[in-house]
Each structure stands twice: as structure tokens, then as C-alpha cells.
Amino acid sequence: MNGDYHASRLTEDHRRGAVWVALWRYVFRHRIAADACVLDLGAGYGDFINSVTARRRIAVDTWAGLADHVAPGVEALVTPVTDLGAIADDSVDFAFASNLFEHLPQDAFVLALREIARTLSPRGTLTILQPNYRYAFREYFDDYTHVAVYSHISLADLLTAHGWDVTEVRPRFLPLTVKSRLPVWPWLIAAYLASPFKPMGKQMLVVARPDDPDGPDPDGPAP
């Protein structure tokens, strides 16, 4: 249905890998333990998961080319995020989704949340990085596969409504895309992350953990 998305919209770009290496160095290595199992949802070219150092690394995507791009040692699962049956209960310590849930209808997002909650260990968390519509509304639908709209408020509210405890919200975490002409020098990324002023910040970061592993009934309480 979406055609050749990787050839038209999500082309391979070495700058994306450079950004994730810097994000690992300055952000995520402080959040992921060496003995953790890390799950990358909607992994694409594997830029995030390839940069991670952890005991176990799993990449999930519906794209058949996934296995050709992940690093040695990364387990590649070609499956929708609504079906994580290949991953055991309580086995994932750090689940991550970058620029994923805006591509899913909301009912599929809720199903994915239930699957993710099932896989998370007692210390497990879900970190979501994606466009914040409040700040990216002009460019949001330049991506023709975007079907859902979230701000940092609505995303946190949806998670809470479906049995998650939201522990961190950063409304302006990163610029929207690496397609701009801005350089991706590591020191510049570090300075941007450390700065309290982020006028170009259009991607949000939201962290949550399951409050109830099963979550409430997505159809609401019984009458």
C-alpha cells in the first residue's frame, strides 16, 4: 500500500547513523544497562540498535531488508509490532520506538502497546521518539504514510489511558529530520541536547512503563 517507502521517503543516509552514534554516546548509554535486552521497534536501517551496546539486541520491522542492515549480533525479526510472539514474556528491559507510531492507526498502536507490555521485564520501559504535532504541524504530512497525530500531551494521555505510567516527557527533544542542511557533528549534537533552548526541536521524547501489564480493555469497561 505504501509503495517503495525506503526508496522515496526513507532513503539510506549516513548522517542518520552519525546522529544515532552521538545519541548513544550522550543519552542512551546512560539509560541502558550492559546486561539489558534492548528491543528496537520499527528499526528501519538499524541505526539505533546498531549503536547500542547491550547483552541482547532485537530489531523489529515489517521491511524485508531489515536483516541486511543490522549489525552482527542483532536479532532481526520481520514482523508487525502488533505481533511480537517471537519475543518471550518479561524478557525486554528497554523497548524503543523512533518515528513509528504516527504511521499506525490508533487501534494498531493500542494493540502494539499491549504486546510491548507483555514483553517487558519488571524493570522494563518504553521510550518513544517521534514528531510532536504541536511544533511540527507544517511538515507533519509531508510524509505520506503518517496516519495519526500526537502531541506530547495527547501521547502521554493515550499511554495513561491504556495502563502505562508516564515517567518522562520532553516536548522538544530533537529537530525533526536529518534531511536539513544542518551538520551532524557530535559536539554540536551534544551542545543541542544540553541546551535548555531548542527552537528547532520538533520531536518529542516520552518514557513510560506498564502500570498494569495487561492494560485496561481497549473497548472500555463492561456495561
Side-chain angles (χ1 to χ4, degrees), residues 39 56 58-63 66 75-80 84 86-87:
L39 172 62
R56 185 183 182 193
I58 308 170
V60 168
D61 205 292
T62 57
W63 180 42
L66 173 66
E75 303 169 39
L77 300 178
V78 178
T79 184
L84 302 177
I87 302 174

Side-chain angles (χ1 to χ4, degrees), residues 84-171:
L84 302 177
I87 302 174
D89 294 2
D90 306 321
S91 62
V92 173
D93 303 303
F94 189 94
F96 182 74
S98 172
N99 294 272
L100 171 63
F101 295 127
E102 67 271 26
H103 299 271
L104 301 183
Q106 194 169 103
D107 58 347
F109 183 11
V110 171
L111 286 174
L113 287 174
R114 293 172 70 87
E115 274 288 87
I116 296 163
R118 177 189 61 76
T119 69
L120 288 179
S121 71
R123 63 172 174 168
T125 60
L126 169 63
T127 297
I128 300 171
L129 176 65
Q130 68 181 56
N132 187 337
Y133 188 76
R134 176 170 295 197
Y135 305 116
F137 61 91
R138 291 183 179 87
E139 310 96 325
Y140 200 87
F141 289 108
D142 287 349
D143 189 322
Y144 68 94
T145 66
H146 285 185
V147 298
V149 170
Y150 298 102
S151 71
H152 60 285
I153 295 173
S154 61
L155 180 58
D157 284 350
L158 183 146
L159 289 163
T160 300
H162 290 279
W164 291 73
D165 177 22
V166 177
T167 60
E168 181 180 0
V169 177
R170 297 195 186 188

